[in-house]
C-alpha cells in the first residue's frame, strides 16, 4: 500500500511538472560581456589592467514567463554578474548578484519579490549618459556618507510594486525591504516619473536603516530632452546621514554621429556639508565615443578626469587606492557583445 501511494505521489508530481511545462510560454537565456583595457592614475600612482564593465555591466541571466490568463503573467528573473576579464563572479558573495526575483503582473501593474535594483538608483543610471558604468560614470561621486547603507544600487529581500505601463506617460515604483536584522539593508523608497515624446523626468526618495539608528536618506531628480541631434540630461542627487550631507549635480549629453557613432559627455560636482566637511568637494568631467558594429556588438572609448578638494577621496576606478585631495583620471578602450 505504501509503495502504491509512493508511486501515485510521483506520478502526480510528474503530471504537475508536465502541466507546468505546457503552460510555460517562454524561457530565455540572455547575457552580455564587456571587456576593456583600462588605465587609471590616482594620486600619481598608475595601474593598467584588463577590466570588465566599461560600457555596460556584464551579465548572464535566465528569464521565464507564464501566461496565467485574463491578462496576468507570472515571471522569474535570475541574473548573475560574471567578470569577463578573469572568469570570476562579482566578489559580492552572491551568486545571483544582479537580480533574483519572482513576479506577478497584469492590468494592475507588477508585484515583484526578491533582490532587485531600487527606485533611487534608476535615476542615477537613467539620467547619466554613461549609465553609471565605467571610468566616466556619474556614480563615481555618489556616496553613502559612511553610513553603512548597502542600498545605493540594489536591495535584498525587497517587495516592489510597479505601476502599469498604460498611464499616459506616467510611471512609478514603490519598494520596501525589512532588512532582516542586517544593518544597512532595511529600505523604503519610491519613484515617480513622466515620459512623453522627447521629455523624460523622474523623482525618487528613499531611507535606509543603519546600525547607528540614524537613517541614510537619498533623494534625486532627473530630466532629459531628446532633440534628435543631441540628448540633454540633468541630474540632482542629495544624500543625508546625521549631520552629514552631500549634494551632487550632473549635466550630460549624448549625440549621434553618423549612422553608427555616439558621443557621450558629462560634467558633475559633489558638494558636502556638515561636521567640517564643507571643503571636501569634488568634480568630474568625462567624454566617450561608442561605435556600433551591429545590433549586439559595440566598440567604445572613454576618458574621465576627477579632482578632489580637501579630504575628498573619490576616484574613477580601482586600482590604485583612493588618495585624499588627489586627482584621478582614467581611460578605457573596450568591446561589448550581448546575446
Amino acid at each position: 500500500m505504501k509503495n502504491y501511494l509512493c508511486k501515485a505521489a510521483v506520478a502526480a508530481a510528474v503530471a504537475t511538472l508536465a502541466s507546468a511545462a505546457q503552460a510555460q510560454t517562454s524561457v530565455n537565456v540572455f547575457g552580455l560581456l564587456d571587456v576593456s583595457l583600462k588605465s587609471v592614475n590616482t594620486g600619481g600612482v598608475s595601474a593598467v589592467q584588463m577590466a570588465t564593465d566599461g560600457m555596460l555591466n556584464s551579465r548572464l541571466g535566465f528569464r521565464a514567463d507564464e501566461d496565467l490568463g485574463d491578462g496576468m503573467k507570472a515571471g522569474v528573473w535570475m541574473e548573475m554578474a560574471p567578470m569577463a576579464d578573469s572568469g570570476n563572479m562579482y566578489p559580492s558573495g552572491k551568486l545571483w548578484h544582479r537580480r533574483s526575483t519572482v513576479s506577478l503582473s497584469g492590468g494592475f501593474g507588477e508585484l515583484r519579490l526578491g533582490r532587485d535594483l531600487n527606485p533611487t538608483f534608476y535615476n542615477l543610471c537613467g539620467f547619466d549618459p554613461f549609465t553609471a558604468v565605467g571610468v566616466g560614470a556619474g556614480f563615481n561621486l555618489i556616496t553613502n556618507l559612511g553610513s553603512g547603507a548597502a542600498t545605493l544600487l540594489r536591495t535584498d529581500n525587497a517587495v516592489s510594486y510597479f505601476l502599469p505601463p498604460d498611464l499616459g506617460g506616467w510611471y512609478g515604483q514603490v519598494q520596501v525591504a525589512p532588512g532582516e536584522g542586517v544593518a544597512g539593508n532595511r529600505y523604503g523608497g519610491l519613484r515617480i516619473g513622466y515620459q512623453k515624446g522627447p521629455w523624460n523626468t523622474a523623482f525618487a526618495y528613499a531611507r535606509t536603516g543603519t546600525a547607528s539608528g540614524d537613517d541614510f536618506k537619498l533623494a534625486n531628480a532627473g530630466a532629459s530632452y531628446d532633440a534628435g541631434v543631441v540628448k540633454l540630461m540633468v541630474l540632482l542627487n542629495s544624500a543625508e546621514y546625521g549631520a552629514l550631507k552631500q549634494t551632487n549635480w550632473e549635466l550630460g549629453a549624448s549625440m549621434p554621429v553618423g549612422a553608427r557613432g555616439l558621443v557621450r559627455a558629462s560634467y558633475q560636482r559633489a558638494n558636502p556639508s556638515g561636521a567640517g566637511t564643507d571643503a571636501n568637494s569634488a568634480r568630474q568631467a568625462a567624454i566617450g565615443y561608442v561605435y556600433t558594429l551591429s545590433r549586439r556588438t559595440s566598440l567604445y572609448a572613454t576618458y574621465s578626469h576627477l579632482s578632489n578638494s580637501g579630504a575628498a577621496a573619490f576616484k574613477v576606478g580601482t586600482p590604485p587606492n583612493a588618495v585624499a585631495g588627489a586627482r584621478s583620471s582614467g581611460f578605457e578602450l573596450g568591446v561589448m557583445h550581448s546575446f
Side-chain angles (χ1 to χ4, degrees):
M1 182 65 176
K2 289 182 179 180
N3 194 36
Y4 171 78
L5 291 175
C6 181
K7 290 181 178 179
V10 171
V14 171
T16 300
L17 291 174
S19 176
Q22 291 175 358
Q24 186 68 58
T25 57
S26 65
V27 178
N28 297 296
V29 179
F30 64 93
L32 182 152
L33 290 181
D34 183 324
V35 181
S36 66
L37 181 64
K38 181 169 71 174
S39 175
V40 174
N41 184 296
T42 301
V45 179
S46 297
V48 178
Q49 62 178 171
M50 188 71 73
T52 190
D53 301 353
M55 177 180 163
L56 292 172
N57 293 119
S58 296
R59 67 202 68 178
L60 175 62
F62 304 86
R63 185 172 65 245
D65 293 294
E66 181 185 10
D67 190 343
L68 301 176
D70 297 325
M72 289 189 61
K73 289 185 178 181
V76 169
W77 191 308
M78 304 176 69
E79 190 173 325
M80 59 181 66
M83 300 181 69
D85 58 323
S86 64
N88 295 323
M89 297 303 297
Y90 190 85
S92 67
K94 303 176 187 292
L95 176 60
W96 305 105
H97 167 79
R98 290 184 53 82
R99 178 173 167 180
S100 56
T101 62
V102 60
S103 64
L104 289 173
S105 61
F108 60 88
E110 180 183 358
L111 179 65
R112 191 183 296 176
L113 308 177
R115 176 175 169 82
D116 201 0
L117 293 172
N118 56 47
T120 39
F121 179 73
Y122 276 113
N123 281 349
L124 296 175
C125 174
F127 297 105
D128 173 17
F130 294 95
T131 61
V133 178
V135 297
F139 202 75
N140 291 337
L141 293 184
I142 300 300
T143 175
N144 67 2
L145 296 173
S147 64
T151 54
L152 286 179
L153 284 83
R154 297 177 173 85
T155 309
D156 290 347
N157 310 303
V159 178
S160 301
Y161 168 72
F162 295 82
L163 291 174
D166 53 353
L167 297 180
W170 289 97
Y171 59 89
Q173 175 191 7
V174 177
Q175 185 182 90
V176 295
E180 300 189 359
V182 180
N185 278 13
R186 178 172 54 82
Y187 179 92
L190 58 85
R191 181 177 186 241
I192 185 71
Y194 182 77
Q195 185 170 13
K196 198 74 169 181
W199 287 99
N200 184 21
T201 183
F203 168 80
Y205 177 79
R207 300 171 73 112
T208 301
T210 70
S212 71
D214 287 328
D215 284 353
F216 171 71
K217 305 169 188 176
L218 194 68
N220 51 43
S224 65
Y225 179 78
D226 192 345
V229 294
V230 64
K231 182 177 182 180
L232 302 175
M233 308 174 200
V234 60
L235 174 67
L236 300 175
N237 185 79
S238 177
E240 292 187 40
Y241 175 61
L244 298 173
K245 182 176 180 178
Q246 179 175 300
T247 301
N248 291 44
W249 60 264
E250 178 182 358
L251 300 176
S254 59
M255 181 176 66
V257 179
R260 298 192 175 190
L262 181 71
V263 173
R264 304 184 294 173
S266 67
Y267 178 81
Q268 71 164 318
R269 289 187 63 93
N271 299 298
S273 61
T277 65
D278 297 57
N280 303 338
S281 61
R283 60 185 184 273
Q284 176 183 281
I287 188 165
Y289 179 73
V290 178
Y291 184 78
T292 303
L293 293 174
S294 70
R295 187 168 63 90
R296 298 182 179 275
T297 305
S298 295
L299 304 176
Y300 63 89
T302 307
Y303 173 79
S304 67
H305 181 84
L306 188 156
S307 298
N308 290 298
S309 299
F314 296 101
K315 55 184 179 176
V316 302
T318 302
N321 294 326
V323 179
R327 296 180 178 181
S328 180
S329 61
F331 175 78
E332 58 193 356
L333 181 66
V335 57
M336 182 280 299
H337 178 80
S338 65
F339 60 90

